[in-house]
PDB file of all heavy atoms in Angstrom:
ATOM      1  N   GLU A 105     249.410 -92.247 -34.675  1.00 98.00           N
ATOM      2  CA  GLU A 105     249.901 -91.055 -35.366  1.00 98.00           C
ATOM      3  C   GLU A 105     250.833 -90.250 -34.464  1.00 98.00           C
ATOM      4  O   GLU A 105     251.874 -89.762 -34.908  1.00 98.00           O
ATOM      5  CB  GLU A 105     248.728 -90.199 -35.825  1.00 98.00           C
ATOM      6  CG  GLU A 105     249.134 -88.944 -36.590  1.00 98.00           C
ATOM      7  CD  GLU A 105     249.923 -89.237 -37.857  1.00 98.00           C
ATOM      8  OE1 GLU A 105     249.827 -90.377 -38.379  1.00 98.00           O
ATOM      9  OE2 GLU A 105     250.635 -88.334 -38.330  1.00 98.00           O
ATOM     10  N   ALA A 106     250.467 -90.103 -33.185  1.00 98.00           N
ATOM     11  CA  ALA A 106     251.332 -89.375 -32.251  1.00 98.00           C
ATOM     12  C   ALA A 106     252.672 -90.067 -32.111  1.00 98.00           C
ATOM     13  O   ALA A 106     253.720 -89.409 -32.037  1.00 98.00           O
ATOM     14  CB  ALA A 106     250.646 -89.253 -30.893  1.00 98.00           C
ATOM     15  N   THR A 107     252.667 -91.380 -32.080  1.00 98.00           N
ATOM     16  CA  THR A 107     253.913 -92.137 -31.951  1.00 98.00           C
ATOM     17  C   THR A 107     254.776 -91.975 -33.197  1.00 98.00           C
ATOM     18  O   THR A 107     255.999 -91.837 -33.100  1.00 98.00           O
ATOM     19  CB  THR A 107     253.602 -93.626 -31.700  1.00 98.00           C
ATOM     20  OG1 THR A 107     252.753 -93.746 -30.562  1.00 98.00           O
ATOM     21  CG2 THR A 107     254.876 -94.413 -31.457  1.00 98.00           C
ATOM     22  N   ARG A 108     254.146 -91.958 -34.364  1.00 98.00           N
ATOM     23  CA  ARG A 108     254.891 -91.717 -35.596  1.00 98.00           C
ATOM     24  C   ARG A 108     255.538 -90.331 -35.561  1.00 98.00           C
ATOM     25  O   ARG A 108     256.713 -90.164 -35.909  1.00 98.00           O
ATOM     26  CB  ARG A 108     253.950 -91.829 -36.796  1.00 98.00           C
ATOM     27  CG  ARG A 108     254.658 -91.570 -38.151  1.00 98.00           C
ATOM     28  CD  ARG A 108     253.670 -91.578 -39.290  1.00 98.00           C
ATOM     29  NE  ARG A 108     253.117 -92.899 -39.526  1.00 98.00           N
ATOM     30  CZ  ARG A 108     251.891 -93.289 -39.238  1.00 98.00           C
ATOM     31  NH1 ARG A 108     251.049 -92.414 -38.675  1.00 98.00           N
ATOM     32  NH2 ARG A 108     251.483 -94.504 -39.480  1.00 98.00           N
ATOM     33  N   MET A 109     254.796 -89.350 -35.109  1.00 98.00           N
ATOM     34  CA  MET A 109     255.276 -87.975 -35.108  1.00 98.00           C
ATOM     35  C   MET A 109     256.348 -87.704 -34.058  1.00 98.00           C
ATOM     36  O   MET A 109     257.175 -86.814 -34.221  1.00 98.00           O
ATOM     37  CB  MET A 109     254.095 -87.025 -34.886  1.00 98.00           C
ATOM     38  CG  MET A 109     253.083 -87.016 -36.015  1.00 98.00           C
ATOM     39  SD  MET A 109     251.586 -86.075 -35.609  1.00 98.00           S
ATOM     40  CE  MET A 109     252.256 -84.422 -35.442  1.00 98.00           C
ATOM     41  N   VAL A 110     256.338 -88.474 -32.958  1.00 98.00           N
ATOM     42  CA  VAL A 110     257.281 -88.200 -31.874  1.00 98.00           C
ATOM     43  C   VAL A 110     258.680 -88.708 -32.169  1.00 98.00           C
ATOM     44  O   VAL A 110     259.645 -88.309 -31.498  1.00 98.00           O
ATOM     45  CB  VAL A 110     256.751 -88.810 -30.550  1.00 98.00           C
ATOM     46  CG1 VAL A 110     257.177 -90.272 -30.390  1.00 98.00           C
ATOM     47  CG2 VAL A 110     257.206 -87.987 -29.351  1.00 98.00           C
ATOM     48  N   CYS A 111     258.815 -89.580 -33.166  1.00 98.00           N
ATOM     49  CA  CYS A 111     260.142 -90.107 -33.507  1.00 98.00           C
ATOM     50  C   CYS A 111     261.081 -88.957 -33.866  1.00 98.00           C
ATOM     51  O   CYS A 111     260.731 -88.077 -34.655  1.00 98.00           O
ATOM     52  CB  CYS A 111     260.061 -91.095 -34.667  1.00 98.00           C
ATOM     53  SG  CYS A 111     259.306 -92.665 -34.198  1.00 98.00           S
ATOM     54  N   GLY A 112     262.267 -88.964 -33.268  1.00 97.00           N
ATOM     55  CA  GLY A 112     263.240 -87.907 -33.482  1.00 97.00           C
ATOM     56  C   GLY A 112     263.065 -86.715 -32.573  1.00 97.00           C
ATOM     57  O   GLY A 112     263.864 -85.775 -32.620  1.00 97.00           O
ATOM     58  N   ARG A 113     262.035 -86.728 -31.731  1.00 97.00           N
ATOM     59  CA  ARG A 113     261.749 -85.591 -30.852  1.00 97.00           C
ATOM     60  C   ARG A 113     262.121 -85.836 -29.394  1.00 97.00           C
ATOM     61  O   ARG A 113     262.120 -84.894 -28.600  1.00 97.00           O
ATOM     62  CB  ARG A 113     260.251 -85.241 -30.915  1.00 97.00           C
ATOM     63  CG  ARG A 113     259.794 -84.637 -32.227  1.00 97.00           C
ATOM     64  CD  ARG A 113     258.278 -84.435 -32.218  1.00 97.00           C
ATOM     65  NE  ARG A 113     257.834 -83.665 -33.370  1.00 97.00           N
ATOM     66  CZ  ARG A 113     257.681 -82.347 -33.376  1.00 97.00           C
ATOM     67  NH1 ARG A 113     257.941 -81.659 -32.277  1.00 97.00           N
ATOM     68  NH2 ARG A 113     257.286 -81.708 -34.462  1.00 97.00           N
ATOM     69  N   LEU A 114     262.393 -87.077 -29.015  1.00 97.00           N
ATOM     70  CA  LEU A 114     262.662 -87.405 -27.622  1.00 97.00           C
ATOM     71  C   LEU A 114     264.145 -87.703 -27.414  1.00 97.00           C
ATOM     72  O   LEU A 114     264.768 -88.399 -28.227  1.00 97.00           O
ATOM     73  CB  LEU A 114     261.832 -88.608 -27.178  1.00 97.00           C
ATOM     74  CG  LEU A 114     260.310 -88.417 -27.190  1.00 97.00           C
ATOM     75  CD1 LEU A 114     259.614 -89.709 -26.790  1.00 97.00           C
ATOM     76  CD2 LEU A 114     259.897 -87.285 -26.258  1.00 97.00           C
ATOM     77  N   ALA A 115     264.701 -87.212 -26.308  1.00 96.00           N
ATOM     78  CA  ALA A 115     266.113 -87.435 -25.993  1.00 96.00           C
ATOM     79  C   ALA A 115     266.352 -88.905 -25.678  1.00 96.00           C
ATOM     80  O   ALA A 115     265.503 -89.586 -25.092  1.00 96.00           O
ATOM     81  CB  ALA A 115     266.527 -86.574 -24.805  1.00 96.00           C
ATOM     82  N   ALA A 116     267.531 -89.385 -26.052  1.00 95.00           N
ATOM     83  CA  ALA A 116     267.874 -90.786 -25.809  1.00 95.00           C
ATOM     84  C   ALA A 116     267.832 -91.111 -24.322  1.00 95.00           C
ATOM     85  O   ALA A 116     267.418 -92.209 -23.928  1.00 95.00           O
ATOM     86  CB  ALA A 116     269.258 -91.086 -26.380  1.00 95.00           C
ATOM     87  N   GLY A 117     268.251 -90.164 -23.483  1.00 96.00           N
ATOM     88  CA  GLY A 117     268.241 -90.399 -22.043  1.00 96.00           C
ATOM     89  C   GLY A 117     266.839 -90.630 -21.507  1.00 96.00           C
ATOM     90  O   GLY A 117     266.629 -91.478 -20.625  1.00 96.00           O
ATOM     91  N   LEU A 118     265.869 -89.881 -22.020  1.00 97.00           N
ATOM     92  CA  LEU A 118     264.484 -90.053 -21.596  1.00 97.00           C
ATOM     93  C   LEU A 118     263.971 -91.425 -22.016  1.00 97.00           C
ATOM     94  O   LEU A 118     263.323 -92.129 -21.231  1.00 97.00           O
ATOM     95  CB  LEU A 118     263.615 -88.946 -22.201  1.00 97.00           C
ATOM     96  CG  LEU A 118     262.105 -89.052 -21.962  1.00 97.00           C
ATOM     97  CD1 LEU A 118     261.786 -89.059 -20.474  1.00 97.00           C
ATOM     98  CD2 LEU A 118     261.378 -87.911 -22.662  1.00 97.00           C
ATOM     99  N   LEU A 119     264.259 -91.818 -23.245  1.00 97.00           N
ATOM    100  CA  LEU A 119     263.815 -93.120 -23.739  1.00 97.00           C
ATOM    101  C   LEU A 119     264.461 -94.258 -22.953  1.00 97.00           C
ATOM    102  O   LEU A 119     263.807 -95.245 -22.615  1.00 97.00           O
ATOM    103  CB  LEU A 119     264.146 -93.249 -25.227  1.00 97.00           C
ATOM    104  CG  LEU A 119     263.400 -92.295 -26.159  1.00 97.00           C
ATOM    105  CD1 LEU A 119     263.992 -92.352 -27.557  1.00 97.00           C
ATOM    106  CD2 LEU A 119     261.912 -92.621 -26.195  1.00 97.00           C
ATOM    107  N   THR A 153     253.976 -88.882 -22.361  1.00 97.00           N
ATOM    108  CA  THR A 153     255.219 -88.360 -22.956  1.00 97.00           C
ATOM    109  C   THR A 153     255.104 -88.305 -24.474  1.00 97.00           C
ATOM    110  O   THR A 153     255.500 -87.325 -25.107  1.00 97.00           O
ATOM    111  CB  THR A 153     256.417 -89.240 -22.550  1.00 97.00           C
ATOM    112  OG1 THR A 153     256.597 -89.165 -21.132  1.00 97.00           O
ATOM    113  CG2 THR A 153     257.693 -88.777 -23.235  1.00 97.00           C
ATOM    114  N   ILE A 154     254.548 -89.341 -25.053  1.00 98.00           N
ATOM    115  CA  ILE A 154     254.380 -89.374 -26.507  1.00 98.00           C
ATOM    116  C   ILE A 154     253.394 -88.296 -26.951  1.00 98.00           C
ATOM    117  O   ILE A 154     253.666 -87.541 -27.898  1.00 98.00           O
ATOM    118  CB  ILE A 154     253.908 -90.774 -26.953  1.00 98.00           C
ATOM    119  CG1 ILE A 154     255.043 -91.791 -26.764  1.00 98.00           C
ATOM    120  CG2 ILE A 154     253.442 -90.755 -28.414  1.00 98.00           C
ATOM    121  CD1 ILE A 154     254.628 -93.233 -27.002  1.00 98.00           C
ATOM    122  N   ALA A 155     252.268 -88.198 -26.265  1.00 97.00           N
ATOM    123  CA  ALA A 155     251.260 -87.202 -26.647  1.00 97.00           C
ATOM    124  C   ALA A 155     251.804 -85.785 -26.503  1.00 97.00           C
ATOM    125  O   ALA A 155     251.635 -84.945 -27.392  1.00 97.00           O
ATOM    126  CB  ALA A 155     250.003 -87.378 -25.800  1.00 97.00           C
ATOM    127  N   ALA A 156     252.466 -85.513 -25.379  1.00 97.00           N
ATOM    128  CA  ALA A 156     252.931 -84.154 -25.088  1.00 97.00           C
ATOM    129  C   ALA A 156     254.038 -83.694 -26.023  1.00 97.00           C
ATOM    130  O   ALA A 156     254.233 -82.488 -26.208  1.00 97.00           O
ATOM    131  CB  ALA A 156     253.418 -84.074 -23.645  1.00 97.00           C
ATOM    132  N   ASN A 157     254.750 -84.643 -26.625  1.00 98.00           N
ATOM    133  CA  ASN A 157     255.897 -84.282 -27.460  1.00 98.00           C
ATOM    134  C   ASN A 157     255.698 -84.572 -28.947  1.00 98.00           C
ATOM    135  O   ASN A 157     256.649 -84.491 -29.722  1.00 98.00           O
ATOM    136  CB  ASN A 157     257.143 -85.030 -26.973  1.00 98.00           C
ATOM    137  CG  ASN A 157     257.615 -84.544 -25.623  1.00 98.00           C
ATOM    138  OD1 ASN A 157     258.302 -83.534 -25.508  1.00 98.00           O
ATOM    139  ND2 ASN A 157     257.233 -85.267 -24.576  1.00 98.00           N
ATOM    140  N   CYS A 158     254.458 -84.873 -29.339  1.00 97.00           N
ATOM    141  CA  CYS A 158     254.222 -85.224 -30.743  1.00 97.00           C
ATOM    142  C   CYS A 158     254.233 -84.009 -31.657  1.00 97.00           C
ATOM    143  O   CYS A 158     254.294 -84.137 -32.882  1.00 97.00           O
ATOM    144  CB  CYS A 158     252.908 -85.996 -30.893  1.00 97.00           C
ATOM    145  SG  CYS A 158     251.415 -84.986 -30.671  1.00 97.00           S
ATOM    146  N   GLY A 159     254.128 -82.801 -31.077  1.00 97.00           N
ATOM    147  CA  GLY A 159     254.167 -81.582 -31.880  1.00 97.00           C
ATOM    148  C   GLY A 159     252.815 -81.101 -32.364  1.00 97.00           C
ATOM    149  O   GLY A 159     252.749 -80.143 -33.133  1.00 97.00           O
ATOM    150  N   ASN A 160     251.746 -81.734 -31.896  1.00 97.00           N
ATOM    151  CA  ASN A 160     250.403 -81.340 -32.319  1.00 97.00           C
ATOM    152  C   ASN A 160     249.523 -81.233 -31.078  1.00 97.00           C
ATOM    153  O   ASN A 160     249.125 -82.248 -30.487  1.00 97.00           O
ATOM    154  CB  ASN A 160     249.830 -82.364 -33.301  1.00 97.00           C
ATOM    155  CG  ASN A 160     248.508 -81.929 -33.907  1.00 97.00           C
ATOM    156  OD1 ASN A 160     247.600 -81.506 -33.200  1.00 97.00           O
ATOM    157  ND2 ASN A 160     248.381 -82.055 -35.218  1.00 97.00           N
ATOM    158  N   PHE A 161     249.204 -80.004 -30.680  1.00 96.00           N
ATOM    159  CA  PHE A 161     248.462 -79.771 -29.446  1.00 96.00           C
ATOM    160  C   PHE A 161     247.078 -80.411 -29.485  1.00 96.00           C
ATOM    161  O   PHE A 161     246.641 -81.043 -28.516  1.00 96.00           O
ATOM    162  CB  PHE A 161     248.330 -78.265 -29.193  1.00 96.00           C
ATOM    163  CG  PHE A 161     247.475 -77.909 -28.016  1.00 96.00           C
ATOM    164  CD1 PHE A 161     247.977 -77.998 -26.725  1.00 96.00           C
ATOM    165  CD2 PHE A 161     246.160 -77.503 -28.196  1.00 96.00           C
ATOM    166  CE1 PHE A 161     247.181 -77.682 -25.631  1.00 96.00           C
ATOM    167  CE2 PHE A 161     245.359 -77.186 -27.106  1.00 96.00           C
ATOM    168  CZ  PHE A 161     245.871 -77.274 -25.826  1.00 96.00           C
ATOM    169  N   LEU A 163     245.978 -82.930 -31.253  1.00 97.00           N
ATOM    170  CA  LEU A 163     246.088 -84.385 -31.197  1.00 97.00           C
ATOM    171  C   LEU A 163     246.344 -84.836 -29.765  1.00 97.00           C
ATOM    172  O   LEU A 163     245.731 -85.799 -29.286  1.00 97.00           O
ATOM    173  CB  LEU A 163     247.218 -84.858 -32.110  1.00 97.00           C
ATOM    174  CG  LEU A 163     247.523 -86.355 -32.135  1.00 97.00           C
ATOM    175  CD1 LEU A 163     246.292 -87.158 -32.536  1.00 97.00           C
ATOM    176  CD2 LEU A 163     248.685 -86.642 -33.087  1.00 97.00           C
ATOM    177  N   SER A 201     261.471 -98.915 -31.122  1.00 98.00           N
ATOM    178  CA  SER A 201     261.281 -98.355 -32.459  1.00 98.00           C
ATOM    179  C   SER A 201     261.425 -96.833 -32.458  1.00 98.00           C
ATOM    180  O   SER A 201     261.973 -96.255 -33.400  1.00 98.00           O
ATOM    181  CB  SER A 201     259.910 -98.753 -33.003  1.00 98.00           C
ATOM    182  OG  SER A 201     259.833-100.155 -33.182  1.00 98.00           O
ATOM    183  N   ILE A 202     260.953 -96.184 -31.388  1.00 98.00           N
ATOM    184  CA  ILE A 202     261.117 -94.728 -31.298  1.00 98.00           C
ATOM    185  C   ILE A 202     262.595 -94.376 -31.210  1.00 98.00           C
ATOM    186  O   ILE A 202     263.078 -93.460 -31.897  1.00 98.00           O
ATOM    187  CB  ILE A 202     260.356 -94.163 -30.085  1.00 98.00           C
ATOM    188  CG1 ILE A 202     258.845 -94.325 -30.273  1.00 98.00           C
ATOM    189  CG2 ILE A 202     260.692 -92.685 -29.873  1.00 98.00           C
ATOM    190  CD1 ILE A 202     258.028 -93.915 -29.062  1.00 98.00           C
ATOM    191  N   LYS A 203     263.323 -95.095 -30.355  1.00 97.00           N
ATOM    192  CA  LYS A 203     264.757 -94.808 -30.186  1.00 97.00           C
ATOM    193  C   LYS A 203     265.526 -95.044 -31.484  1.00 97.00           C
ATOM    194  O   LYS A 203     266.476 -94.319 -31.789  1.00 97.00           O
ATOM    195  CB  LYS A 203     265.332 -95.665 -29.061  1.00 97.00           C
ATOM    196  CG  LYS A 203     266.769 -95.294 -28.706  1.00 97.00           C
ATOM    197  CD  LYS A 203     267.260 -96.057 -27.493  1.00 97.00           C
ATOM    198  CE  LYS A 203     268.698 -95.636 -27.152  1.00 97.00           C
ATOM    199  NZ  LYS A 203     269.212 -96.389 -25.982  1.00 97.00           N
ATOM    200  N   ASP A 205     264.414 -94.453 -34.304  1.00 98.00           N
ATOM    201  CA  ASP A 205     263.881 -93.476 -35.259  1.00 98.00           C
ATOM    202  C   ASP A 205     263.235 -94.166 -36.461  1.00 98.00           C
ATOM    203  O   ASP A 205     263.512 -93.838 -37.614  1.00 98.00           O
ATOM    204  CB  ASP A 205     264.977 -92.505 -35.716  1.00 98.00           C
ATOM    205  CG  ASP A 205     264.391 -91.245 -36.363  1.00 98.00           C
ATOM    206  OD1 ASP A 205     263.182 -91.015 -36.201  1.00 98.00           O
ATOM    207  OD2 ASP A 205     265.145 -90.507 -37.034  1.00 98.00           O
ATOM    208  N   LYS A 206     262.363 -95.121 -36.149  1.00 98.00           N
ATOM    209  CA  LYS A 206     261.623 -95.850 -37.169  1.00 98.00           C
ATOM    210  C   LYS A 206     260.130 -95.538 -36.991  1.00 98.00           C
ATOM    211  O   LYS A 206     259.407 -96.261 -36.297  1.00 98.00           O
ATOM    212  CB  LYS A 206     261.871 -97.349 -37.057  1.00 98.00           C
ATOM    213  CG  LYS A 206     263.319 -97.748 -37.336  1.00 98.00           C
ATOM    214  CD  LYS A 206     263.503 -99.258 -37.252  1.00 98.00           C
ATOM    215  CE  LYS A 206     264.925 -99.668 -37.599  1.00 98.00           C
ATOM    216  NZ  LYS A 206     265.117-101.146 -37.480  1.00 98.00           N
ATOM    217  N   PRO A 207     259.661 -94.436 -37.575  1.00 98.00           N
ATOM    218  CA  PRO A 207     258.289 -93.979 -37.341  1.00 98.00           C
ATOM    219  C   PRO A 207     257.213 -95.001 -37.656  1.00 98.00           C
ATOM    220  O   PRO A 207     256.262 -95.162 -36.875  1.00 98.00           O
ATOM    221  CB  PRO A 207     258.172 -92.742 -38.250  1.00 98.00           C
ATOM    222  CG  PRO A 207     259.574 -92.294 -38.465  1.00 98.00           C
ATOM    223  CD  PRO A 207     260.400 -93.531 -38.478  1.00 98.00           C
TER     224      PRO A 207
END
Side-chain angles (χ1 to χ4, degrees):
E105 181 60 21
T107 305
R108 179 185 292 107
M109 294 171 65
V110 87
C111 288
R113 290 175 171 267
L114 296 177
L118 174 59
L119 294 170
T153 296
I154 290 172
N157 291 278
C158 72
N160 187 312
F161 175 79
L163 177 58
S201 295
I202 293 174
K203 187 174 181 181
D205 197 15
K206 295 182 177 178

